Amino acid sequence: MIIRRIIKHLITGSMAQKAAFPAHSLHAIEQAIHEAEAKHAGQVRFAVEASLDFAALWRNQTASERAIDMFSQLRVWDTEHNNGVLIYLLLADRDVEIIADRGIHAKLGKAGWKEFVLKWNRHFGWAILKLG
């Protein structure tokens, strides 16, 4: 299983990322985030990686673990009200992770996250978001 994942990550390069998210798509996402942030106090970051490096694969780092690393590296937690949110995509694993700071968790609660995930899955037709 780990060998299959390593091979998948090695063959998924930056071209896959550019194909999945060309410049106009990234611009549209940026605009949507900007418009959404104007309606609430939360701060949203969007990060896409085509694949993990070999060291991360060797450690069998999950997309969720990598998202938490990115949350820290991008300083998404560094907001006045602890209301940062990271939407992280790892293309090689076909995984989406949403990491939210404690201010968001306190406001939404478990029921709020469940509703969010159900709306996301219904809207996009994806069953990829899950509750931990």
Side-chain angles (χ1 to χ4, degrees):
M1 183 74 156
I2 192 168
I3 299 298
R4 181 183 293 175
R5 184 171 184 236
I6 289 171
I7 292 169
K8 188 189 258 187
H9 279 257
L10 291 175
I11 63 173
T12 305
S14 61
M15 292 303 288
Q17 186 172 337
K18 288 178 183 174
F21 292 95
H24 69 276
S25 294
L26 291 175
H27 180 72
I29 291 167
E30 182 181 344
Q31 287 299 106
I33 289 171
H34 180 72
E35 290 171 15
E37 286 179 336
K39 297 175 185 172
H40 57 73
Q43 296 182 21
V44 179
R45 292 289 302 263
F46 179 76
V48 180
E49 288 187 301
S51 59
L52 297 176
D53 64 26
F54 189 77
L57 291 168
W58 188 254
R59 290 189 316 270
N60 201 24
Q61 184 178 37
T62 65
S64 181
E65 292 166 341
R66 178 63 179 157
I68 292 168
D69 285 349
M70 293 299 293
F71 187 86
S72 176
Q73 289 176 25
L74 296 171
R75 298 178 59 101
V76 178
W77 52 266
D78 194 13
T79 62
E80 183 177 349
H81 301 290
N82 299 312
N83 59 358
V85 175
L86 173 67
I87 301 171
Y88 173 80
L89 283 71
L90 182 56
L91 297 180
D93 285 351
R94 299 182 55 132
D95 200 341
V96 176
E97 298 289 332
I98 298 176
I99 308 295
D101 208 345
R102 61 188 175 273
I104 300 289
H105 284 296
K107 185 159 179 110
L108 276 180
K110 195 167 190 159
W113 278 116
K114 186 173 184 176
E115 181 181 338
F116 171 82
V117 168
L118 290 172
K119 282 182 182 179
W120 172 284
N121 290 339
R122 239 189 337 265
H123 178 75
F124 290 105
W126 301 346
I128 56 172
L129 288 180
K130 54 205 172 290
L131 293 171

